Amino acid sequence: MRAGPSDEAAGTLGRGQRLAGSIVPVICLSLLGWSSAWAVEPPTPVLTLNRAFELAEAANPDLQAARLQNDVARAGIAVAGQRPNPDLLLEEVRETPHDAATLSQTLELGGKRHRRIDLADATVASRRAETERMRLEVRNRVRRAFFELNTAERRALELAELRSLAERTRDTAETRYQAGDVAKLDTVLADLTATKALNDADTAQSLIASARASLNALLALPADTPTNTTEVGASNRAGKGETSPLTFDAGTLVERALAGSSALAVLDRGVAEQKARLALAHALRVPDAVIQGGVTRRAQPDFDWGWRAGLSLAIPIFTTGSAGVTVEERTLALLEGERRARAIELAGAVRAAAATAEAERLQLQHFRELILPAAAAVESMAEDAYRSGQTALPALLQALQTTHDLRLQAIQAAADYAAAIADLESAMGVPLP
């Protein structure tokens, strides 16, 4: 029996409903999968240099240990301010008086307690200066590791661009070969270039992992934490990248270093601490007095209850304390000489580092303003000329290799400039932008 139009419509509707029933869950699951992927894998934020400094200063193990040393030094102030305890002597003897109770108290003369407190305060200041020096040292290490990772990432981006360009060149060579415009050698040579570019790009990714692990260790993060210092897809073309607001006037930098160097601050606090030790050595030359007072009992027939009082004082005949004073004076002279020598050395190191940084800055500026724009124009012209059949493949590959080498040199120039800033910061002992 043949089905009528209404039956065919009903069958079509039934099949449509079954098809919709099977497709809708799949679409829903796919949307759920996409939404979960979006929720689980948000884009990794770019780590800035200032943020890296903050993380290191908050969680670096070396700095945490230094801060604990500061707490120990502060606790020493309370120890230095302690006073001697009194002594109680109880006696029971056969001779008269048979019973005695004596209380003695040592009196520190010459300001010993005050000098001890001054020394403890100076020690706290020395530990703070040492902590600041260590903080700047960690900061300098973070700066170097940060730009090492940044250089590796930018190098990887450049190699990825070269890989993409080599693949486009290979496709163009294949198209022209299929059209009979070039020989098979062009396709083989273009494929070899693309393979080498792929290998270089893979190697660059391995170097990123190594540099990232070094930086994460300074930030007290797991080694595989995905810290990125460069935006994904960022360009290495001219005009990109950070510039420093520093001016490399040697005289200004030397003055700033002499006024605020953490290394000189450590020596200054060491000199102050040694002066406090010398003052304490002078105070120790004054002998302490011991006063005694007591009661006696059972001294018949003379008395039943009595009393006694006394004062003892060491006579500085054999040990006068002058040797200790001499040691502290010589140590102070040594520290002051080291401080003067360090200031002279620092001035020379800052001038040399400033000259190097200025030279690296000029080189990087030339790359960004002159060399890279010209290289980008040559690359574009060479690719267009080969695609239109005006030049041969070797000329294109040579042009691409030249521009690629220039961009890698520009990346290295930026790395050298960052290293020069780190060297200048290390020489000055002062934090730089």
Side-chain angles (χ1 to χ4, degrees):
M1 185 175 179
R2 187 175 182 179
S6 58
D7 296 335
E8 291 180 358
T12 301
L13 180 61
R15 288 193 298 271
Q17 291 174 345
R18 289 193 299 272
L19 182 59
S22 60
I23 291 178
V24 169
V26 174
I27 295 176
C28 292
L29 290 175
S30 299
L31 291 176
L32 288 175
W34 291 341
S35 62
S36 62
W38 293 336
V40 173
E41 298 180 359
T44 303
V46 177
L47 178 68
T48 63
L49 181 60
N50 289 333
R51 179 56 180 165
F53 288 154
E54 294 174 359
L55 292 175
E57 292 179 11
N60 186 270
D62 294 335
L63 286 178
Q64 290 181 344
R67 295 186 183 105
L68 291 177
Q69 291 180 355
N70 291 341
D71 295 338
V72 173
R74 282 192 293 270
I77 297 177
V79 175
Q82 292 178 338
R83 301 178 184 274
N85 287 320
D87 294 327
L88 176 62
L89 176 63
L90 300 177
E91 295 178 289
E92 178 74 22
V93 295
R94 294 184 61 183
E95 60 188 35
T96 57
H98 298 291
D99 303 326
T102 304
L103 186 67
S104 60
Q105 175 66 52
T106 300
L107 300 179
E108 292 186 311
L109 305 179
K112 295 182 181 66
R113 177 175 178 273
H114 179 67
R115 299 305 179 189
R116 287 199 308 269
I117 294 176
D118 289 343
L119 177 57
D121 289 335
T123 301
V124 170
S126 294
R127 295 298 178 269
R128 287 175 179 170
E130 182 63 28
T131 301
E132 178 64 14
R133 185 199 62 79
M134 184 175 295
R135 185 185 73 85
L136 292 180
E137 180 182 342
V138 170
R139 175 190 175 97
N140 191 264
R141 291 164 57 193
V142 169
R143 177 188 293 275
R144 295 179 188 274
F146 178 90
F147 282 106
E148 181 180 352
L149 175 58
N150 182 266
T151 300
E153 290 174 344
R154 291 188 177 276
R155 191 183 300 274
L157 288 174
E158 175 59 34
L159 293 174
E161 290 183 11
L162 179 64
R163 171 188 173 186
S164 176
L165 185 57
E167 291 175 348
R168 292 202 309 269
T169 303
R170 180 187 59 191
D171 296 340
T172 301
E174 181 65 28
T175 300
R176 294 190 62 193
Y177 170 72
Q178 294 296 335
D181 296 336
V182 297
K184 180 64 175 177
L185 178 62
D186 277 19
T187 62
V188 176
L189 185 59
D191 186 67
L192 177 61
T193 303
T195 302
K196 181 180 181 301
L198 175 62
N199 181 68
D200 292 342
D202 292 341
T203 303
Q205 292 298 325
S206 300
L207 296 178
I208 289 177
S210 175
R212 179 176 292 132
S214 299
L215 178 59
N216 287 340
L218 293 173
L219 305 183
L221 296 175
D224 56 350
T225 301
T227 47
N228 296 320
T229 65
T230 305
E231 293 183 4
V232 177
S235 175
N236 290 321
R237 305 293 180 174
K240 299 296 182 180
E242 298 179 359
T243 57
S244 174
L246 289 175
T247 57
F248 300 105
D249 178 70
T252 302
L253 294 177
V254 168
E255 291 178 1
R256 183 180 176 188
L258 293 177
S261 170
S262 61
L264 291 183
V266 170
L267 293 176
D268 289 337
R269 300 289 80 75
V271 168
E273 182 178 356
Q274 185 57 35
K275 288 180 178 179
R277 293 183 186 278
L278 177 59
L280 178 59
H282 281 292
L284 290 175
R285 298 190 63 185
V286 180
D288 294 334
V290 180
I291 58 174
Q292 297 177 340
V295 294
T296 59
R297 183 172 175 270
R298 294 196 301 159
Q300 289 83 3
D302 296 328
F303 59 86
D304 187 33
W305 287 92
W307 58 270
R308 63 176 58 170
L311 172 66
S312 64
L313 191 68
I315 302 176
I317 298 177
F318 302 108
T319 302
T320 62
S322 59
V325 172
T326 302
V327 170
E328 302 301 342
E329 289 176 342
R330 301 291 172 80
T331 303
L332 177 60
L334 174 62
L335 292 177
E336 290 176 338
E338 290 180 353
R339 203 278 183 193
R340 290 191 296 270
R342 179 57 179 161
I344 297 174
E345 179 185 354
L346 180 144
V350 169
R351 290 183 181 276
T356 301
E358 176 63 14
E360 298 295 347
R361 185 192 68 82
L362 290 176
Q363 182 182 22
L364 180 59
Q365 180 179 353
H366 292 160
F367 266 107
R368 289 178 175 173
E369 296 180 358
L370 302 176
I371 300 176
L372 289 184
V378 169
E379 178 185 291
S380 179
M381 292 170 60
E383 188 176 3
D384 293 340
Y386 178 73
R387 185 177 291 108
S388 62
Q390 298 177 7
T391 58
L393 181 62
L396 171 61
L397 295 180
Q398 182 178 3
L400 295 182
Q401 186 63 43
T402 300
T403 56
H404 164 68
D405 291 342
L406 289 174
R407 287 205 295 270
L408 288 181
Q409 291 174 19
I411 294 173
Q412 186 59 47
D416 293 340
Y417 176 66
I421 296 297
D423 292 339
L424 179 60
E425 182 182 64
S426 179
M428 294 180 61
V430 176
L432 297 178

Short mmCIF file of all heavy atoms in Angstrom, two decimals, residues 169-224:
data_model
loop_
_atom_site.label_atom_id
_atom_site.label_comp_id
_atom_site.label_asym_id
_atom_site.label_seq_id
_atom_site.Cartn_x
_atom_site.Cartn_y
_atom_site.Cartn_z
N THR A 169 58.04 30.39 1.85
CA THR A 169 58.95 30.32 0.72
C THR A 169 58.92 28.93 0.07
O THR A 169 58.94 28.80 -1.17
CB THR A 169 60.38 30.65 1.17
OG1 THR A 169 60.38 31.96 1.78
CG2 THR A 169 61.35 30.64 0.01
N ARG A 170 58.85 27.91 0.90
CA ARG A 170 58.76 26.54 0.37
C ARG A 170 57.49 26.36 -0.44
O ARG A 170 57.50 25.76 -1.52
CB ARG A 170 58.80 25.54 1.53
CG ARG A 170 58.72 24.08 1.10
CD ARG A 170 58.60 23.20 2.31
NE ARG A 170 57.41 23.54 3.09
CZ ARG A 170 57.17 23.08 4.33
NH1 ARG A 170 58.04 22.28 4.92
NH2 ARG A 170 56.07 23.43 4.96
N ASP A 171 56.37 26.88 0.08
CA ASP A 171 55.11 26.76 -0.66
C ASP A 171 55.17 27.54 -1.98
O ASP A 171 54.67 27.08 -3.02
CB ASP A 171 53.96 27.27 0.20
CG ASP A 171 53.75 26.42 1.45
OD1 ASP A 171 54.22 25.26 1.44
OD2 ASP A 171 53.15 26.92 2.42
N THR A 172 55.80 28.71 -1.93
CA THR A 172 55.91 29.50 -3.16
C THR A 172 56.78 28.77 -4.19
O THR A 172 56.47 28.75 -5.39
CB THR A 172 56.51 30.88 -2.84
OG1 THR A 172 55.67 31.55 -1.90
CG2 THR A 172 56.62 31.72 -4.10
N ALA A 173 57.89 28.19 -3.72
CA ALA A 173 58.77 27.46 -4.62
C ALA A 173 58.05 26.25 -5.23
O ALA A 173 58.19 25.96 -6.43
CB ALA A 173 60.03 27.00 -3.88
N GLU A 174 57.24 25.57 -4.43
CA GLU A 174 56.49 24.42 -4.94
C GLU A 174 55.47 24.88 -5.98
O GLU A 174 55.28 24.21 -7.02
CB GLU A 174 55.80 23.71 -3.78
CG GLU A 174 55.00 22.48 -4.17
CD GLU A 174 55.89 21.37 -4.72
OE1 GLU A 174 57.08 21.31 -4.33
OE2 GLU A 174 55.39 20.57 -5.53
N THR A 175 54.81 26.00 -5.72
CA THR A 175 53.83 26.52 -6.68
C THR A 175 54.50 26.89 -8.01
O THR A 175 54.00 26.55 -9.10
CB THR A 175 53.12 27.73 -6.09
OG1 THR A 175 52.45 27.35 -4.88
CG2 THR A 175 52.08 28.29 -7.06
N ARG A 176 55.63 27.55 -7.93
CA ARG A 176 56.33 27.95 -9.15
C ARG A 176 56.90 26.73 -9.88
O ARG A 176 56.97 26.70 -11.11
CB ARG A 176 57.46 28.93 -8.81
CG ARG A 176 56.95 30.27 -8.26
CD ARG A 176 58.07 31.27 -8.18
NE ARG A 176 58.61 31.54 -9.51
CZ ARG A 176 59.76 32.19 -9.74
NH1 ARG A 176 60.47 32.62 -8.71
NH2 ARG A 176 60.17 32.40 -10.98
N TYR A 177 57.30 25.70 -9.10
CA TYR A 177 57.79 24.48 -9.75
C TYR A 177 56.67 23.76 -10.48
O TYR A 177 56.86 23.28 -11.61
CB TYR A 177 58.41 23.56 -8.70
CG TYR A 177 58.73 22.18 -9.23
CD1 TYR A 177 59.79 21.98 -10.11
CD2 TYR A 177 57.95 21.08 -8.85
CE1 TYR A 177 60.08 20.70 -10.61
CE2 TYR A 177 58.22 19.81 -9.33
CZ TYR A 177 59.29 19.63 -10.22
OH TYR A 177 59.56 18.38 -10.70
N GLN A 178 55.49 23.70 -9.86
CA GLN A 178 54.36 23.06 -10.52
C GLN A 178 53.96 23.82 -11.78
O GLN A 178 53.49 23.22 -12.76
CB GLN A 178 53.17 23.00 -9.55
CG GLN A 178 53.40 22.10 -8.35
CD GLN A 178 53.58 20.64 -8.72
OE1 GLN A 178 53.10 20.19 -9.79
NE2 GLN A 178 54.28 19.89 -7.87
N ALA A 179 54.19 25.15 -11.77
CA ALA A 179 53.87 25.94 -12.96
C ALA A 179 54.98 25.89 -14.00
O ALA A 179 54.82 26.45 -15.10
CB ALA A 179 53.61 27.38 -12.55
N GLY A 180 56.11 25.25 -13.68
CA GLY A 180 57.20 25.13 -14.62
C GLY A 180 58.09 26.35 -14.69
O GLY A 180 58.90 26.48 -15.63
N ASP A 181 58.01 27.23 -13.69
CA ASP A 181 58.82 28.44 -13.71
C ASP A 181 60.23 28.23 -13.15
O ASP A 181 61.15 28.97 -13.51
CB ASP A 181 58.14 29.56 -12.92
CG ASP A 181 56.82 29.97 -13.56
OD1 ASP A 181 56.67 29.77 -14.77
OD2 ASP A 181 55.94 30.48 -12.83
N VAL A 182 60.40 27.26 -12.24
CA VAL A 182 61.71 27.02 -11.62
C VAL A 182 62.02 25.54 -11.66
O VAL A 182 61.15 24.69 -11.93
CB VAL A 182 61.73 27.51 -10.15
CG1 VAL A 182 61.51 29.01 -10.08
CG2 VAL A 182 60.67 26.78 -9.33
N ALA A 183 63.28 25.23 -11.35
CA ALA A 183 63.71 23.83 -11.35
C ALA A 183 63.36 23.17 -10.02
O ALA A 183 63.01 23.83 -9.03
CB ALA A 183 65.22 23.75 -11.61
N LYS A 184 63.47 21.83 -10.00
CA LYS A 184 63.21 21.07 -8.78
C LYS A 184 64.16 21.45 -7.66
O LYS A 184 63.83 21.35 -6.46
CB LYS A 184 63.36 19.57 -9.09
CG LYS A 184 63.10 18.65 -7.92
CD LYS A 184 61.66 18.75 -7.43
CE LYS A 184 61.38 17.74 -6.33
NZ LYS A 184 60.00 17.86 -5.80
N LEU A 185 65.36 21.95 -8.02
CA LEU A 185 66.34 22.33 -7.01
C LEU A 185 65.78 23.40 -6.07
O LEU A 185 66.09 23.42 -4.88
CB LEU A 185 67.61 22.86 -7.70
CG LEU A 185 68.72 23.36 -6.77
CD1 LEU A 185 69.21 22.23 -5.87
CD2 LEU A 185 69.87 23.96 -7.57
N ASP A 186 64.95 24.29 -6.58
CA ASP A 186 64.37 25.33 -5.73
C ASP A 186 63.52 24.74 -4.62
O ASP A 186 63.57 25.18 -3.47
CB ASP A 186 63.54 26.29 -6.57
CG ASP A 186 64.40 27.35 -7.25
OD1 ASP A 186 65.62 27.11 -7.34
OD2 ASP A 186 63.86 28.38 -7.69
N THR A 187 62.72 23.73 -4.97
CA THR A 187 61.85 23.13 -3.95
C THR A 187 62.68 22.38 -2.91
O THR A 187 62.38 22.41 -1.72
CB THR A 187 60.84 22.18 -4.60
OG1 THR A 187 61.54 21.11 -5.27
CG2 THR A 187 59.99 22.92 -5.62
N VAL A 188 63.73 21.69 -3.35
CA VAL A 188 64.59 20.95 -2.41
C VAL A 188 65.30 21.92 -1.48
O VAL A 188 65.36 21.72 -0.25
CB VAL A 188 65.60 20.08 -3.17
CG1 VAL A 188 66.56 19.40 -2.20
CG2 VAL A 188 64.87 19.03 -4.01
N LEU A 189 65.85 23.00 -2.04
CA LEU A 189 66.57 23.98 -1.22
C LEU A 189 65.62 24.69 -0.26
O LEU A 189 65.96 24.92 0.92
CB LEU A 189 67.25 24.99 -2.15
CG LEU A 189 68.15 26.03 -1.48
CD1 LEU A 189 69.26 25.34 -0.71
CD2 LEU A 189 68.74 26.97 -2.52
N ALA A 190 64.43 25.03 -0.71
CA ALA A 190 63.46 25.69 0.16
C ALA A 190 63.00 24.76 1.28
O ALA A 190 62.81 25.18 2.43
CB ALA A 190 62.26 26.17 -0.65
N ASP A 191 62.82 23.47 0.97
CA ASP A 191 62.42 22.50 1.99
C ASP A 191 63.53 22.32 3.03
O ASP A 191 63.25 22.20 4.23
CB ASP A 191 62.09 21.17 1.32
CG ASP A 191 61.52 20.18 2.32
OD1 ASP A 191 60.40 20.41 2.83
OD2 ASP A 191 62.21 19.17 2.61
N LEU A 192 64.79 22.30 2.57
CA LEU A 192 65.90 22.18 3.51
C LEU A 192 65.95 23.38 4.44
O LEU A 192 66.18 23.24 5.66
CB LEU A 192 67.22 22.06 2.73
CG LEU A 192 68.50 21.99 3.57
CD1 LEU A 192 68.48 20.78 4.48
CD2 LEU A 192 69.72 21.97 2.66
N THR A 193 65.74 24.58 3.90
CA THR A 193 65.73 25.78 4.72
C THR A 193 64.61 25.75 5.75
O THR A 193 64.79 26.13 6.91
CB THR A 193 65.59 27.02 3.82
OG1 THR A 193 66.65 27.04 2.86
CG2 THR A 193 65.63 28.29 4.65
N ALA A 194 63.45 25.28 5.34
CA ALA A 194 62.31 25.18 6.28
C ALA A 194 62.58 24.18 7.39
O ALA A 194 62.23 24.40 8.55
CB ALA A 194 61.04 24.81 5.51
N THR A 195 63.23 23.06 7.04
CA THR A 195 63.55 22.04 8.05
C THR A 195 64.54 22.59 9.08
O THR A 195 64.40 22.37 10.28
CB THR A 195 64.13 20.80 7.38
OG1 THR A 195 63.18 20.30 6.43
CG2 THR A 195 64.43 19.73 8.40
N LYS A 196 65.56 23.31 8.60
CA LYS A 196 66.52 23.92 9.52
C LYS A 196 65.85 24.95 10.41
O LYS A 196 66.15 25.05 11.62
CB LYS A 196 67.65 24.58 8.74
CG LYS A 196 68.73 25.21 9.61
CD LYS A 196 69.81 25.84 8.78
CE LYS A 196 70.89 26.45 9.69
NZ LYS A 196 70.34 27.47 10.59
N ALA A 197 64.95 25.75 9.87
CA ALA A 197 64.24 26.73 10.68
C ALA A 197 63.39 26.06 11.75
O ALA A 197 63.29 26.55 12.89
CB ALA A 197 63.37 27.60 9.79
N LEU A 198 62.78 24.93 11.42
CA LEU A 198 61.99 24.17 12.40
C LEU A 198 62.88 23.67 13.53
O LEU A 198 62.53 23.75 14.71
CB LEU A 198 61.28 23.00 11.71
CG LEU A 198 60.53 22.04 12.64
CD1 LEU A 198 59.41 22.77 13.38
CD2 LEU A 198 59.96 20.87 11.83
N ASN A 199 64.06 23.15 13.19
CA ASN A 199 64.99 22.66 14.21
C ASN A 199 65.45 23.79 15.12
O ASN A 199 65.53 23.62 16.35
CB ASN A 199 66.19 22.00 13.52
CG ASN A 199 67.19 21.45 14.53
OD1 ASN A 199 66.90 20.50 15.24
ND2 ASN A 199 68.36 22.06 14.59
N ASP A 200 65.77 24.95 14.54
CA ASP A 200 66.20 26.09 15.35
C ASP A 200 65.09 26.55 16.29
O ASP A 200 65.34 26.92 17.45
CB ASP A 200 66.63 27.24 14.45
CG ASP A 200 67.90 26.93 13.67
OD1 ASP A 200 68.63 25.99 14.07
OD2 ASP A 200 68.16 27.60 12.66
N ALA A 201 63.86 26.55 15.81
CA ALA A 201 62.74 26.96 16.65
C ALA A 201 62.53 26.01 17.82
O ALA A 201 62.26 26.44 18.95
CB ALA A 201 61.46 27.05 15.81
N ASP A 202 62.69 24.70 17.59
CA ASP A 202 62.55 23.72 18.67
C ASP A 202 63.65 23.89 19.71
O ASP A 202 63.41 23.79 20.92
CB ASP A 202 62.58 22.30 18.10
CG ASP A 202 61.34 21.99 17.28
OD1 ASP A 202 60.32 22.71 17.44
OD2 ASP A 202 61.39 21.06 16.45
N THR A 203 64.87 24.16 19.25
CA THR A 203 65.98 24.37 20.18
C THR A 203 65.74 25.61 21.04
O THR A 203 66.04 25.62 22.24
CB THR A 203 67.29 24.51 19.40
OG1 THR A 203 67.51 23.35 18.60
CG2 THR A 203 68.47 24.70 20.35
N ALA A 204 65.19 26.66 20.44
CA ALA A 204 64.92 27.88 21.19
C ALA A 204 63.91 27.64 22.31
O ALA A 204 64.03 28.24 23.38
CB ALA A 204 64.41 28.97 20.24
N GLN A 205 62.95 26.78 22.10
CA GLN A 205 61.98 26.47 23.14
C GLN A 205 62.65 25.78 24.33
O GLN A 205 62.28 26.02 25.49
CB GLN A 205 60.87 25.58 22.57
CG GLN A 205 59.98 26.29 21.56
CD GLN A 205 59.23 27.47 22.16
OE1 GLN A 205 58.83 27.45 23.32
NE2 GLN A 205 59.06 28.51 21.36
N SER A 206 63.64 24.92 24.08
CA SER A 206 64.37 24.27 25.17
C SER A 206 65.14 25.29 25.99
O SER A 206 65.21 25.19 27.23
CB SER A 206 65.32 23.21 24.60
OG SER A 206 64.60 22.23 23.87
N LEU A 207 65.73 26.28 25.34
CA LEU A 207 66.46 27.32 26.06
C LEU A 207 65.52 28.15 26.92
O LEU A 207 65.90 28.60 28.01
CB LEU A 207 67.20 28.20 25.06
CG LEU A 207 68.30 27.52 24.25
CD1 LEU A 207 68.94 28.50 23.27
CD2 LEU A 207 69.37 26.93 25.18
N ILE A 208 64.29 28.34 26.47
CA ILE A 208 63.31 29.06 27.28
C ILE A 208 63.03 28.30 28.57
O ILE A 208 62.97 28.89 29.66
CB ILE A 208 62.01 29.27 26.48
CG1 ILE A 208 62.22 30.30 25.38
CG2 ILE A 208 60.87 29.71 27.39
CD1 ILE A 208 61.00 30.52 24.51
N ALA A 209 62.88 26.99 28.48
CA ALA A 209 62.60 26.19 29.68
C ALA A 209 63.73 26.31 30.69
O ALA A 209 63.50 26.41 31.90
CB ALA A 209 62.37 24.73 29.28
N SER A 210 64.98 26.30 30.21
CA SER A 210 66.12 26.42 31.11
C SER A 210 66.16 27.78 31.78
O SER A 210 66.34 27.89 33.00
CB SER A 210 67.42 26.18 30.32
OG SER A 210 68.55 26.39 31.13
N ALA A 211 65.98 28.86 31.00
CA ALA A 211 66.00 30.20 31.58
C ALA A 211 64.84 30.42 32.53
O ALA A 211 64.98 31.08 33.57
CB ALA A 211 65.96 31.24 30.46
N ARG A 212 63.69 29.85 32.23
CA ARG A 212 62.52 30.01 33.09
C ARG A 212 62.75 29.32 34.43
O ARG A 212 62.37 29.84 35.49
CB ARG A 212 61.28 29.46 32.40
CG ARG A 212 60.01 29.55 33.24
CD ARG A 212 58.80 29.07 32.47
NE ARG A 212 58.49 29.98 31.37
CZ ARG A 212 58.26 29.59 30.12
NH1 ARG A 212 58.34 28.31 29.80
NH2 ARG A 212 57.96 30.49 29.19
N ALA A 213 63.38 28.15 34.42
CA ALA A 213 63.64 27.45 35.67
C ALA A 213 64.58 28.26 36.56
O ALA A 213 64.40 28.31 37.78
CB ALA A 213 64.24 26.07 35.37
N SER A 214 65.58 28.92 35.96
CA SER A 214 66.51 29.73 36.75
C SER A 214 65.79 30.91 37.39
O SER A 214 66.01 31.24 38.56
CB SER A 214 67.64 30.23 35.85
OG SER A 214 68.38 29.13 35.32
N LEU A 215 64.93 31.57 36.63
CA LEU A 215 64.19 32.71 37.18
C LEU A 215 63.22 32.26 38.26
O LEU A 215 63.11 32.90 39.31
CB LEU A 215 63.45 33.44 36.05
CG LEU A 215 62.58 34.63 36.49
CD1 LEU A 215 63.42 35.69 37.18
CD2 LEU A 215 61.85 35.22 35.30
N ASN A 216 62.51 31.17 38.03
CA ASN A 216 61.54 30.69 39.02
C ASN A 216 62.21 30.33 40.33
O ASN A 216 61.62 30.48 41.41
CB ASN A 216 60.77 29.50 38.46
CG ASN A 216 59.77 29.90 37.39
OD1 ASN A 216 59.37 31.05 37.31
ND2 ASN A 216 59.35 28.95 36.57
N ALA A 217 63.45 29.83 40.27
CA ALA A 217 64.16 29.50 41.50
C ALA A 217 64.41 30.74 42.34
O ALA A 217 64.29 30.71 43.58
CB ALA A 217 65.49 28.82 41.16
N LEU A 218 64.73 31.86 41.71
CA LEU A 218 64.93 33.10 42.44
C LEU A 218 63.63 33.66 42.99
O LEU A 218 63.63 34.35 44.02
CB LEU A 218 65.58 34.15 41.53
CG LEU A 218 67.02 33.85 41.09
CD1 LEU A 218 67.48 34.87 40.06
CD2 LEU A 218 67.95 33.86 42.29
N LEU A 219 62.52 33.36 42.33
CA LEU A 219 61.22 33.85 42.77
C LEU A 219 60.54 32.88 43.74
O LEU A 219 59.39 33.11 44.13
CB LEU A 219 60.31 34.09 41.57
CG LEU A 219 60.85 35.03 40.48
CD1 LEU A 219 59.81 35.22 39.39
CD2 LEU A 219 61.26 36.36 41.08
N ALA A 220 61.24 31.79 44.11
CA ALA A 220 60.68 30.78 45.01
C ALA A 220 59.41 30.17 44.44
O ALA A 220 58.44 29.92 45.15
CB ALA A 220 60.43 31.36 46.40
N LEU A 221 59.41 29.93 43.12
CA LEU A 221 58.28 29.30 42.44
C LEU A 221 58.71 27.94 41.93
O LEU A 221 59.91 27.68 41.73
CB LEU A 221 57.83 30.17 41.24
CG LEU A 221 57.28 31.56 41.56
CD1 LEU A 221 57.01 32.33 40.27
CD2 LEU A 221 56.02 31.46 42.40
N PRO A 222 57.76 27.01 41.72
CA PRO A 222 58.13 25.73 41.09
C PRO A 222 58.80 25.96 39.75
O PRO A 222 58.49 26.92 39.03
CB PRO A 222 56.77 25.02 40.93
CG PRO A 222 55.90 25.63 41.98
CD PRO A 222 56.34 27.06 42.11
N ALA A 223 59.73 25.08 39.40
CA ALA A 223 60.56 25.29 38.21
C ALA A 223 59.73 25.36 36.93
O ALA A 223 60.09 26.07 35.99
CB ALA A 223 61.60 24.17 38.10
N ASP A 224 58.60 24.64 36.88
CA ASP A 224 57.81 24.60 35.65
C ASP A 224 56.67 25.63 35.64
O ASP A 224 55.78 25.56 34.80
CB ASP A 224 57.22 23.20 35.45
CG ASP A 224 56.38 22.75 36.65
OD1 ASP A 224 56.42 23.43 37.70
OD2 ASP A 224 55.70 21.71 36.54
#
